[in-house]
Amino acid sequence: MRITETSLNWQLGGLTDPRIHYRNWQESPLWVPDNIRLGQQGLLWNMGTGRRELFRRAIHAVKPQKKMLDNFVALSGPQASEADILMFAKQWGVLGICKHLKPASHRTLCDAIRVGKNYWEPCLAWVRWSTQARSILNIAAELNQGRLGKSEDWAHLDPRQDPLFNKPNAVTAFRTGLDGARACLTLIVNVEWVEMSAVRFSIHPTEQGWTVGLFNETVFGLFGALGAYLMLTISGSLGITYCSNCGELYSPLRAPRSDRYNFCVDCGKKAKNRLAVRRFRARASSLLPTLT
């Protein structure tokens, strides 16, 4: 990303730490339709006729990556065009926009907009969600630096919300100031991006055991993946993993290694030392000569 005032602010706000790679975070693959093109001021796409052989040829899977969020936010930039949206969709997939201009996963009976034999989603909806993601990151960076954020960014998220947060309400958890702003942003990310995208926790097998990640319940997995990366970027988290001692989920401060034990803050060094002593005794006992 080109160094701009916005990207510098994100860096100062702790949102662009180059050490964070989410190496322990797994997600379902994104299914990308092969037939995506521009038409009628939006994207036209389909996934085949429904026959198994054709269906397999009409989509392909890609692995979500952190740069996907950066590229998505850029779609609302001043230099972005419909061609950029098409290029992004061909690489990462479609949002699956329904008639409510939201991802179809937001409601059980909703489906992507149909135009004849194709699906269609307006480029304006892409710009709207890209703008909201950009505003979320802008506000998160400001909050991390002790500021409320710009009124125009809050207007993109909730036009009714007082950007000065002088009036407590249910959205702000009846708080004011920075606490109210954080509560409001938390609600927006959790409801508008994570819950609405129909993603769920799941486990994934690895060569060393298991890891935790997100599973997309719909074929439109792009919106859920973007929501997950928004959540992780705002929190500055390396994802989630299990504590080797208590077994509880926690967000690590550094990327855990799959070939080592990982401990939450509550268990910490005490649990680490106990397991080290246990392993030492086990090795020592195995080296003792067998008495006959």
Side-chain angles (χ1 to χ4, degrees), residues 61-97:
V62 296
K63 183 179 180 180
Q65 297 181 25
K66 170 64 171 62
K67 65 178 181 179
M68 179 178 63
L69 177 61
D70 300 330
N71 295 340
F72 181 73
V73 168
L75 297 179
S76 59
Q79 304 299 325
S81 64
E82 292 184 353
D84 295 320
I85 295 176
L86 176 62
M87 186 182 302
F88 181 95
K90 285 186 173 182
Q91 182 176 6
W92 302 109
V94 295
L95 295 177
I97 298 297

PDB file of all heavy atoms in Angstrom, residues 61-97:
ATOM      1  N   ALA A  61     -11.217 -22.621  -5.998  1.00  0.00           N
ATOM      2  CA  ALA A  61     -10.985 -22.221  -4.608  1.00  0.00           C
ATOM      3  C   ALA A  61      -9.685 -21.441  -4.486  1.00  0.00           C
ATOM      4  O   ALA A  61      -8.699 -21.733  -5.169  1.00  0.00           O
ATOM      5  CB  ALA A  61     -10.938 -23.452  -3.705  1.00  0.00           C
ATOM      6  N   VAL A  62      -9.692 -20.431  -3.620  1.00  0.00           N
ATOM      7  CA  VAL A  62      -8.486 -19.687  -3.285  1.00  0.00           C
ATOM      8  C   VAL A  62      -8.394 -19.580  -1.773  1.00  0.00           C
ATOM      9  O   VAL A  62      -9.400 -19.656  -1.064  1.00  0.00           O
ATOM     10  CB  VAL A  62      -8.476 -18.273  -3.917  1.00  0.00           C
ATOM     11  CG1 VAL A  62      -8.462 -18.359  -5.425  1.00  0.00           C
ATOM     12  CG2 VAL A  62      -9.659 -17.456  -3.430  1.00  0.00           C
ATOM     13  N   LYS A  63      -7.195 -19.383  -1.274  1.00  0.00           N
ATOM     14  CA  LYS A  63      -6.973 -19.264   0.163  1.00  0.00           C
ATOM     15  C   LYS A  63      -7.021 -17.801   0.581  1.00  0.00           C
ATOM     16  O   LYS A  63      -6.364 -16.960  -0.032  1.00  0.00           O
ATOM     17  CB  LYS A  63      -5.615 -19.854   0.536  1.00  0.00           C
ATOM     18  CG  LYS A  63      -5.322 -19.851   2.028  1.00  0.00           C
ATOM     19  CD  LYS A  63      -3.972 -20.482   2.312  1.00  0.00           C
ATOM     20  CE  LYS A  63      -3.676 -20.479   3.806  1.00  0.00           C
ATOM     21  NZ  LYS A  63      -2.354 -21.084   4.107  1.00  0.00           N
ATOM     22  N   PRO A  64      -7.807 -17.458   1.614  1.00  0.00           N
ATOM     23  CA  PRO A  64      -7.856 -16.060   2.071  1.00  0.00           C
ATOM     24  C   PRO A  64      -6.490 -15.585   2.543  1.00  0.00           C
ATOM     25  O   PRO A  64      -5.712 -16.345   3.110  1.00  0.00           O
ATOM     26  CB  PRO A  64      -8.861 -16.102   3.237  1.00  0.00           C
ATOM     27  CG  PRO A  64      -9.618 -17.369   3.061  1.00  0.00           C
ATOM     28  CD  PRO A  64      -8.686 -18.342   2.413  1.00  0.00           C
ATOM     29  N   GLN A  65      -6.214 -14.319   2.310  1.00  0.00           N
ATOM     30  CA  GLN A  65      -4.963 -13.712   2.736  1.00  0.00           C
ATOM     31  C   GLN A  65      -5.226 -12.325   3.298  1.00  0.00           C
ATOM     32  O   GLN A  65      -6.215 -11.678   2.939  1.00  0.00           O
ATOM     33  CB  GLN A  65      -3.970 -13.614   1.573  1.00  0.00           C
ATOM     34  CG  GLN A  65      -3.554 -14.955   0.999  1.00  0.00           C
ATOM     35  CD  GLN A  65      -2.555 -14.805  -0.133  1.00  0.00           C
ATOM     36  OE1 GLN A  65      -1.830 -13.815  -0.212  1.00  0.00           O
ATOM     37  NE2 GLN A  65      -2.522 -15.781  -1.013  1.00  0.00           N
ATOM     38  N   LYS A  66      -4.313 -11.852   4.150  1.00  0.00           N
ATOM     39  CA  LYS A  66      -4.464 -10.552   4.775  1.00  0.00           C
ATOM     40  C   LYS A  66      -4.513  -9.416   3.751  1.00  0.00           C
ATOM     41  O   LYS A  66      -5.261  -8.448   3.909  1.00  0.00           O
ATOM     42  CB  LYS A  66      -3.302 -10.319   5.757  1.00  0.00           C
ATOM     43  CG  LYS A  66      -3.204  -8.898   6.314  1.00  0.00           C
ATOM     44  CD  LYS A  66      -4.414  -8.511   7.161  1.00  0.00           C
ATOM     45  CE  LYS A  66      -4.185  -7.193   7.880  1.00  0.00           C
ATOM     46  NZ  LYS A  66      -3.981  -6.053   6.954  1.00  0.00           N
ATOM     47  N   LYS A  67      -3.738  -9.519   2.678  1.00  0.00           N
ATOM     48  CA  LYS A  67      -3.701  -8.442   1.683  1.00  0.00           C
ATOM     49  C   LYS A  67      -5.060  -8.259   1.013  1.00  0.00           C
ATOM     50  O   LYS A  67      -5.315  -7.224   0.402  1.00  0.00           O
ATOM     51  CB  LYS A  67      -2.641  -8.722   0.630  1.00  0.00           C
ATOM     52  CG  LYS A  67      -2.908  -9.944  -0.244  1.00  0.00           C
ATOM     53  CD  LYS A  67      -1.819 -10.109  -1.288  1.00  0.00           C
ATOM     54  CE  LYS A  67      -2.097 -11.304  -2.188  1.00  0.00           C
ATOM     55  NZ  LYS A  67      -1.043 -11.467  -3.220  1.00  0.00           N
ATOM     56  N   MET A  68      -5.918  -9.259   1.121  1.00  0.00           N
ATOM     57  CA  MET A  68      -7.258  -9.176   0.550  1.00  0.00           C
ATOM     58  C   MET A  68      -8.023  -8.006   1.154  1.00  0.00           C
ATOM     59  O   MET A  68      -8.715  -7.271   0.439  1.00  0.00           O
ATOM     60  CB  MET A  68      -7.979 -10.495   0.824  1.00  0.00           C
ATOM     61  CG  MET A  68      -9.395 -10.608   0.341  1.00  0.00           C
ATOM     62  SD  MET A  68     -10.004 -12.253   0.732  1.00  0.00           S
ATOM     63  CE  MET A  68      -9.930 -12.216   2.522  1.00  0.00           C
ATOM     64  N   LEU A  69      -7.905  -7.783   2.461  1.00  0.00           N
ATOM     65  CA  LEU A  69      -8.587  -6.666   3.109  1.00  0.00           C
ATOM     66  C   LEU A  69      -8.017  -5.338   2.625  1.00  0.00           C
ATOM     67  O   LEU A  69      -8.771  -4.391   2.364  1.00  0.00           O
ATOM     68  CB  LEU A  69      -8.459  -6.779   4.629  1.00  0.00           C
ATOM     69  CG  LEU A  69      -9.060  -5.623   5.443  1.00  0.00           C
ATOM     70  CD1 LEU A  69     -10.557  -5.498   5.191  1.00  0.00           C
ATOM     71  CD2 LEU A  69      -8.795  -5.837   6.938  1.00  0.00           C
ATOM     72  N   ASP A  70      -6.698  -5.251   2.494  1.00  0.00           N
ATOM     73  CA  ASP A  70      -6.076  -4.020   2.002  1.00  0.00           C
ATOM     74  C   ASP A  70      -6.572  -3.686   0.600  1.00  0.00           C
ATOM     75  O   ASP A  70      -6.889  -2.531   0.292  1.00  0.00           O
ATOM     76  CB  ASP A  70      -4.553  -4.163   2.002  1.00  0.00           C
ATOM     77  CG  ASP A  70      -3.994  -4.446   3.386  1.00  0.00           C
ATOM     78  OD1 ASP A  70      -4.614  -3.985   4.362  1.00  0.00           O
ATOM     79  OD2 ASP A  70      -2.951  -5.103   3.487  1.00  0.00           O
ATOM     80  N   ASN A  71      -6.638  -4.698  -0.264  1.00  0.00           N
ATOM     81  CA  ASN A  71      -7.087  -4.481  -1.636  1.00  0.00           C
ATOM     82  C   ASN A  71      -8.568  -4.120  -1.687  1.00  0.00           C
ATOM     83  O   ASN A  71      -8.998  -3.328  -2.534  1.00  0.00           O
ATOM     84  CB  ASN A  71      -6.827  -5.725  -2.481  1.00  0.00           C
ATOM     85  CG  ASN A  71      -5.350  -6.031  -2.633  1.00  0.00           C
ATOM     86  OD1 ASN A  71      -4.508  -5.166  -2.439  1.00  0.00           O
ATOM     87  ND2 ASN A  71      -5.028  -7.267  -2.960  1.00  0.00           N
ATOM     88  N   PHE A  72      -9.360  -4.697  -0.775  1.00  0.00           N
ATOM     89  CA  PHE A  72     -10.788  -4.391  -0.748  1.00  0.00           C
ATOM     90  C   PHE A  72     -11.020  -2.946  -0.321  1.00  0.00           C
ATOM     91  O   PHE A  72     -11.858  -2.236  -0.900  1.00  0.00           O
ATOM     92  CB  PHE A  72     -11.506  -5.344   0.209  1.00  0.00           C
ATOM     93  CG  PHE A  72     -12.993  -5.131   0.280  1.00  0.00           C
ATOM     94  CD1 PHE A  72     -13.822  -5.516  -0.757  1.00  0.00           C
ATOM     95  CD2 PHE A  72     -13.558  -4.537   1.394  1.00  0.00           C
ATOM     96  CE1 PHE A  72     -15.193  -5.313  -0.704  1.00  0.00           C
ATOM     97  CE2 PHE A  72     -14.932  -4.327   1.465  1.00  0.00           C
ATOM     98  CZ  PHE A  72     -15.749  -4.722   0.416  1.00  0.00           C
ATOM     99  N   VAL A  73     -10.296  -2.488   0.676  1.00  0.00           N
ATOM    100  CA  VAL A  73     -10.425  -1.101   1.139  1.00  0.00           C
ATOM    101  C   VAL A  73     -10.055  -0.120   0.026  1.00  0.00           C
ATOM    102  O   VAL A  73     -10.647   0.954  -0.101  1.00  0.00           O
ATOM    103  CB  VAL A  73      -9.551  -0.882   2.385  1.00  0.00           C
ATOM    104  CG1 VAL A  73      -9.432   0.596   2.715  1.00  0.00           C
ATOM    105  CG2 VAL A  73     -10.131  -1.634   3.578  1.00  0.00           C
ATOM    106  N   ALA A  74      -9.100  -0.502  -0.805  1.00  0.00           N
ATOM    107  CA  ALA A  74      -8.660   0.377  -1.892  1.00  0.00           C
ATOM    108  C   ALA A  74      -9.740   0.588  -2.942  1.00  0.00           C
ATOM    109  O   ALA A  74      -9.664   1.538  -3.724  1.00  0.00           O
ATOM    110  CB  ALA A  74      -7.406  -0.190  -2.545  1.00  0.00           C
ATOM    111  N   LEU A  75     -10.760  -0.278  -2.976  1.00  0.00           N
ATOM    112  CA  LEU A  75     -11.823  -0.153  -3.980  1.00  0.00           C
ATOM    113  C   LEU A  75     -12.690   1.086  -3.771  1.00  0.00           C
ATOM    114  O   LEU A  75     -13.442   1.464  -4.668  1.00  0.00           O
ATOM    115  CB  LEU A  75     -12.705  -1.409  -3.969  1.00  0.00           C
ATOM    116  CG  LEU A  75     -12.011  -2.722  -4.353  1.00  0.00           C
ATOM    117  CD1 LEU A  75     -12.991  -3.875  -4.280  1.00  0.00           C
ATOM    118  CD2 LEU A  75     -11.397  -2.630  -5.738  1.00  0.00           C
ATOM    119  N   SER A  76     -12.622   1.704  -2.610  1.00  0.00           N
ATOM    120  CA  SER A  76     -13.371   2.938  -2.351  1.00  0.00           C
ATOM    121  C   SER A  76     -12.491   4.166  -2.455  1.00  0.00           C
ATOM    122  O   SER A  76     -12.900   5.269  -2.095  1.00  0.00           O
ATOM    123  CB  SER A  76     -14.027   2.889  -0.966  1.00  0.00           C
ATOM    124  OG  SER A  76     -13.045   2.722   0.047  1.00  0.00           O
ATOM    125  N   GLY A  77     -11.271   3.989  -2.955  1.00  0.00           N
ATOM    126  CA  GLY A  77     -10.364   5.114  -3.123  1.00  0.00           C
ATOM    127  C   GLY A  77     -10.754   5.980  -4.303  1.00  0.00           C
ATOM    128  O   GLY A  77     -11.543   5.572  -5.171  1.00  0.00           O
ATOM    129  N   PRO A  78     -10.201   7.176  -4.389  1.00  0.00           N
ATOM    130  CA  PRO A  78     -10.580   8.109  -5.463  1.00  0.00           C
ATOM    131  C   PRO A  78     -10.192   7.633  -6.852  1.00  0.00           C
ATOM    132  O   PRO A  78     -10.795   8.044  -7.846  1.00  0.00           O
ATOM    133  CB  PRO A  78      -9.838   9.398  -5.072  1.00  0.00           C
ATOM    134  CG  PRO A  78      -8.703   8.946  -4.205  1.00  0.00           C
ATOM    135  CD  PRO A  78      -9.210   7.751  -3.467  1.00  0.00           C
ATOM    136  N   GLN A  79      -9.183   6.780  -6.959  1.00  0.00           N
ATOM    137  CA  GLN A  79      -8.722   6.314  -8.256  1.00  0.00           C
ATOM    138  C   GLN A  79      -9.338   4.970  -8.654  1.00  0.00           C
ATOM    139  O   GLN A  79      -9.047   4.452  -9.734  1.00  0.00           O
ATOM    140  CB  GLN A  79      -7.180   6.173  -8.247  1.00  0.00           C
ATOM    141  CG  GLN A  79      -6.435   7.440  -7.872  1.00  0.00           C
ATOM    142  CD  GLN A  79      -6.694   8.572  -8.840  1.00  0.00           C
ATOM    143  OE1 GLN A  79      -6.855   8.374 -10.035  1.00  0.00           O
ATOM    144  NE2 GLN A  79      -6.736   9.797  -8.304  1.00  0.00           N
ATOM    145  N   ALA A  80     -10.171   4.397  -7.790  1.00  0.00           N
ATOM    146  CA  ALA A  80     -10.737   3.070  -8.062  1.00  0.00           C
ATOM    147  C   ALA A  80     -11.815   3.168  -9.130  1.00  0.00           C
ATOM    148  O   ALA A  80     -12.492   4.182  -9.285  1.00  0.00           O
ATOM    149  CB  ALA A  80     -11.308   2.474  -6.783  1.00  0.00           C
ATOM    150  N   SER A  81     -11.983   2.079  -9.880  1.00  0.00           N
ATOM    151  CA  SER A  81     -12.967   2.024 -10.953  1.00  0.00           C
ATOM    152  C   SER A  81     -13.681   0.677 -10.926  1.00  0.00           C
ATOM    153  O   SER A  81     -13.328  -0.217 -10.147  1.00  0.00           O
ATOM    154  CB  SER A  81     -12.285   2.220 -12.310  1.00  0.00           C
ATOM    155  OG  SER A  81     -11.387   1.147 -12.571  1.00  0.00           O
ATOM    156  N   GLU A  82     -14.691   0.538 -11.773  1.00  0.00           N
ATOM    157  CA  GLU A  82     -15.398  -0.731 -11.882  1.00  0.00           C
ATOM    158  C   GLU A  82     -14.465  -1.845 -12.346  1.00  0.00           C
ATOM    159  O   GLU A  82     -14.638  -3.008 -11.967  1.00  0.00           O
ATOM    160  CB  GLU A  82     -16.580  -0.595 -12.835  1.00  0.00           C
ATOM    161  CG  GLU A  82     -17.700   0.299 -12.312  1.00  0.00           C
ATOM    162  CD  GLU A  82     -18.899   0.327 -13.238  1.00  0.00           C
ATOM    163  OE1 GLU A  82     -18.798  -0.238 -14.355  1.00  0.00           O
ATOM    164  OE2 GLU A  82     -19.937   0.911 -12.861  1.00  0.00           O
ATOM    165  N   ALA A  83     -13.483  -1.499 -13.160  1.00  0.00           N
ATOM    166  CA  ALA A  83     -12.507  -2.490 -13.609  1.00  0.00           C
ATOM    167  C   ALA A  83     -11.698  -3.037 -12.429  1.00  0.00           C
ATOM    168  O   ALA A  83     -11.348  -4.226 -12.404  1.00  0.00           O
ATOM    169  CB  ALA A  83     -11.577  -1.872 -14.655  1.00  0.00           C
ATOM    170  N   ASP A  84     -11.409  -2.197 -11.449  1.00  0.00           N
ATOM    171  CA  ASP A  84     -10.689  -2.652 -10.254  1.00  0.00           C
ATOM    172  C   ASP A  84     -11.550  -3.615  -9.438  1.00  0.00           C
ATOM    173  O   ASP A  84     -11.047  -4.595  -8.886  1.00  0.00           O
ATOM    174  CB  ASP A  84     -10.283  -1.456  -9.392  1.00  0.00           C
ATOM    175  CG  ASP A  84      -9.277  -0.552 -10.084  1.00  0.00           C
ATOM    176  OD1 ASP A  84      -8.372  -1.084 -10.755  1.00  0.00           O
ATOM    177  OD2 ASP A  84      -9.415   0.675  -9.967  1.00  0.00           O
ATOM    178  N   ILE A  85     -12.845  -3.327  -9.349  1.00  0.00           N
ATOM    179  CA  ILE A  85     -13.760  -4.226  -8.643  1.00  0.00           C
ATOM    180  C   ILE A  85     -13.813  -5.577  -9.347  1.00  0.00           C
ATOM    181  O   ILE A  85     -13.794  -6.632  -8.703  1.00  0.00           O
ATOM    182  CB  ILE A  85     -15.171  -3.596  -8.559  1.00  0.00           C
ATOM    183  CG1 ILE A  85     -15.122  -2.321  -7.699  1.00  0.00           C
ATOM    184  CG2 ILE A  85     -16.175  -4.596  -7.983  1.00  0.00           C
ATOM    185  CD1 ILE A  85     -16.449  -1.586  -7.630  1.00  0.00           C
ATOM    186  N   LEU A  86     -13.882  -5.557 -10.672  1.00  0.00           N
ATOM    187  CA  LEU A  86     -13.895  -6.805 -11.443  1.00  0.00           C
ATOM    188  C   LEU A  86     -12.618  -7.596 -11.212  1.00  0.00           C
ATOM    189  O   LEU A  86     -12.658  -8.818 -11.010  1.00  0.00           O
ATOM    190  CB  LEU A  86     -14.060  -6.488 -12.931  1.00  0.00           C
ATOM    191  CG  LEU A  86     -13.997  -7.691 -13.880  1.00  0.00           C
ATOM    192  CD1 LEU A  86     -15.125  -8.665 -13.597  1.00  0.00           C
ATOM    193  CD2 LEU A  86     -14.028  -7.221 -15.335  1.00  0.00           C
ATOM    194  N   MET A  87     -11.476  -6.913 -11.223  1.00  0.00           N
ATOM    195  CA  MET A  87     -10.203  -7.595 -11.003  1.00  0.00           C
ATOM    196  C   MET A  87     -10.150  -8.234  -9.616  1.00  0.00           C
ATOM    197  O   MET A  87      -9.688  -9.373  -9.456  1.00  0.00           O
ATOM    198  CB  MET A  87      -9.048  -6.598 -11.172  1.00  0.00           C
ATOM    199  CG  MET A  87      -7.661  -7.208 -11.104  1.00  0.00           C
ATOM    200  SD  MET A  87      -6.356  -5.950 -11.255  1.00  0.00           S
ATOM    201  CE  MET A  87      -6.799  -5.226 -12.849  1.00  0.00           C
ATOM    202  N   PHE A  88     -10.642  -7.506  -8.617  1.00  0.00           N
ATOM    203  CA  PHE A  88     -10.675  -8.045  -7.253  1.00  0.00           C
ATOM    204  C   PHE A  88     -11.583  -9.261  -7.182  1.00  0.00           C
ATOM    205  O   PHE A  88     -11.228 -10.285  -6.577  1.00  0.00           O
ATOM    206  CB  PHE A  88     -11.160  -6.964  -6.283  1.00  0.00           C
ATOM    207  CG  PHE A  88     -11.201  -7.407  -4.850  1.00  0.00           C
ATOM    208  CD1 PHE A  88     -10.136  -7.160  -4.000  1.00  0.00           C
ATOM    209  CD2 PHE A  88     -12.308  -8.074  -4.336  1.00  0.00           C
ATOM    210  CE1 PHE A  88     -10.161  -7.566  -2.674  1.00  0.00           C
ATOM    211  CE2 PHE A  88     -12.351  -8.482  -3.019  1.00  0.00           C
ATOM    212  CZ  PHE A  88     -11.266  -8.243  -2.184  1.00  0.00           C
ATOM    213  N   ALA A  89     -12.776  -9.175  -7.774  1.00  0.00           N
ATOM    214  CA  ALA A  89     -13.732 -10.287  -7.725  1.00  0.00           C
ATOM    215  C   ALA A  89     -13.181 -11.528  -8.423  1.00  0.00           C
ATOM    216  O   ALA A  89     -13.407 -12.652  -7.966  1.00  0.00           O
ATOM    217  CB  ALA A  89     -15.051  -9.856  -8.361  1.00  0.00           C
ATOM    218  N   LYS A  90     -12.456 -11.352  -9.522  1.00  0.00           N
ATOM    219  CA  LYS A  90     -11.883 -12.506 -10.218  1.00  0.00           C
ATOM    220  C   LYS A  90     -10.799 -13.181  -9.395  1.00  0.00           C
ATOM    221  O   LYS A  90     -10.548 -14.375  -9.552  1.00  0.00           O
ATOM    222  CB  LYS A  90     -11.318 -12.062 -11.576  1.00  0.00           C
ATOM    223  CG  LYS A  90     -12.384 -11.785 -12.623  1.00  0.00           C
ATOM    224  CD  LYS A  90     -11.753 -11.506 -13.984  1.00  0.00           C
ATOM    225  CE  LYS A  90     -12.829 -11.409 -15.063  1.00  0.00           C
ATOM    226  NZ  LYS A  90     -12.234 -11.182 -16.404  1.00  0.00           N
ATOM    227  N   GLN A  91     -10.163 -12.414  -8.511  1.00  0.00           N
ATOM    228  CA  GLN A  91      -9.106 -12.989  -7.678  1.00  0.00           C
ATOM    229  C   GLN A  91      -9.642 -13.597  -6.388  1.00  0.00           C
ATOM    230  O   GLN A  91      -9.187 -14.667  -5.972  1.00  0.00           O
ATOM    231  CB  GLN A  91      -8.060 -11.928  -7.346  1.00  0.00           C
ATOM    232  CG  GLN A  91      -6.891 -12.472  -6.523  1.00  0.00           C
ATOM    233  CD  GLN A  91      -5.823 -11.433  -6.275  1.00  0.00           C
ATOM    234  OE1 GLN A  91      -5.989 -10.257  -6.626  1.00  0.00           O
ATOM    235  NE2 GLN A  91      -4.721 -11.846  -5.686  1.00  0.00           N
ATOM    236  N   TRP A  92     -10.643 -12.924  -5.751  1.00  0.00           N
ATOM    237  CA  TRP A  92     -11.066 -13.330  -4.418  1.00  0.00           C
ATOM    238  C   TRP A  92     -12.525 -13.773  -4.332  1.00  0.00           C
ATOM    239  O   TRP A  92     -12.942 -14.288  -3.297  1.00  0.00           O
ATOM    240  CB  TRP A  92     -10.832 -12.198  -3.420  1.00  0.00           C
ATOM    241  CG  TRP A  92      -9.415 -11.747  -3.349  1.00  0.00           C
ATOM    242  CD1 TRP A  92      -8.894 -10.570  -3.801  1.00  0.00           C
ATOM    243  CD2 TRP A  92      -8.302 -12.478  -2.808  1.00  0.00           C
ATOM    244  NE1 TRP A  92      -7.543 -10.511  -3.571  1.00  0.00           N
ATOM    245  CE2 TRP A  92      -7.157 -11.671  -2.964  1.00  0.00           C
ATOM    246  CE3 TRP A  92      -8.174 -13.735  -2.220  1.00  0.00           C
ATOM    247  CZ2 TRP A  92      -5.894 -12.079  -2.540  1.00  0.00           C
ATOM    248  CZ3 TRP A  92      -6.929 -14.145  -1.790  1.00  0.00           C
ATOM    249  CH2 TRP A  92      -5.803 -13.313  -1.963  1.00  0.00           C
ATOM    250  N   GLY A  93     -13.323 -13.543  -5.352  1.00  0.00           N
ATOM    251  CA  GLY A  93     -14.715 -13.964  -5.300  1.00  0.00           C
ATOM    252  C   GLY A  93     -15.685 -12.801  -5.196  1.00  0.00           C
ATOM    253  O   GLY A  93     -15.299 -11.638  -5.252  1.00  0.00           O
ATOM    254  N   VAL A  94     -16.960 -13.136  -5.029  1.00  0.00           N
ATOM    255  CA  VAL A  94     -18.034 -12.138  -4.999  1.00  0.00           C
ATOM    256  C   VAL A  94     -18.589 -12.004  -3.583  1.00  0.00           C
ATOM    257  O   VAL A  94     -18.386 -12.869  -2.729  1.00  0.00           O
ATOM    258  CB  VAL A  94     -19.162 -12.533  -5.976  1.00  0.00           C
ATOM    259  CG1 VAL A  94     -18.649 -12.499  -7.410  1.00  0.00           C
ATOM    260  CG2 VAL A  94     -19.725 -13.908  -5.648  1.00  0.00           C
ATOM    261  N   LEU A  95     -19.301 -10.908  -3.362  1.00  0.00           N
ATOM    262  CA  LEU A  95     -19.896 -10.659  -2.046  1.00  0.00           C
ATOM    263  C   LEU A  95     -21.242 -11.361  -1.873  1.00  0.00           C
ATOM    264  O   LEU A  95     -21.696 -11.576  -0.764  1.00  0.00           O
ATOM    265  CB  LEU A  95     -20.074  -9.153  -1.821  1.00  0.00           C
ATOM    266  CG  LEU A  95     -18.788  -8.324  -1.750  1.00  0.00           C
ATOM    267  CD1 LEU A  95     -19.130  -6.839  -1.606  1.00  0.00           C
ATOM    268  CD2 LEU A  95     -17.913  -8.786  -0.593  1.00  0.00           C
ATOM    269  N   GLY A  96     -21.907 -11.687  -2.983  1.00  0.00           N
ATOM    270  CA  GLY A  96     -23.224 -12.311  -2.882  1.00  0.00           C
ATOM    271  C   GLY A  96     -24.278 -11.332  -2.397  1.00  0.00           C
ATOM    272  O   GLY A  96     -25.015 -11.615  -1.454  1.00  0.00           O
ATOM    273  N   ILE A  97     -24.364 -10.167  -3.048  1.00  0.00           N
ATOM    274  CA  ILE A  97     -25.268  -9.105  -2.611  1.00  0.00           C
ATOM    275  C   ILE A  97     -26.720  -9.466  -2.937  1.00  0.00           C
ATOM    276  O   ILE A  97     -27.031  -9.915  -4.043  1.00  0.00           O
ATOM    277  CB  ILE A  97     -24.893  -7.777  -3.301  1.00  0.00           C
ATOM    278  CG1 ILE A  97     -23.469  -7.363  -2.909  1.00  0.00           C
ATOM    279  CG2 ILE A  97     -25.885  -6.682  -2.942  1.00  0.00           C
ATOM    280  CD1 ILE A  97     -23.289  -7.078  -1.435  1.00  0.00           C
TER     281      ILE A  97
END
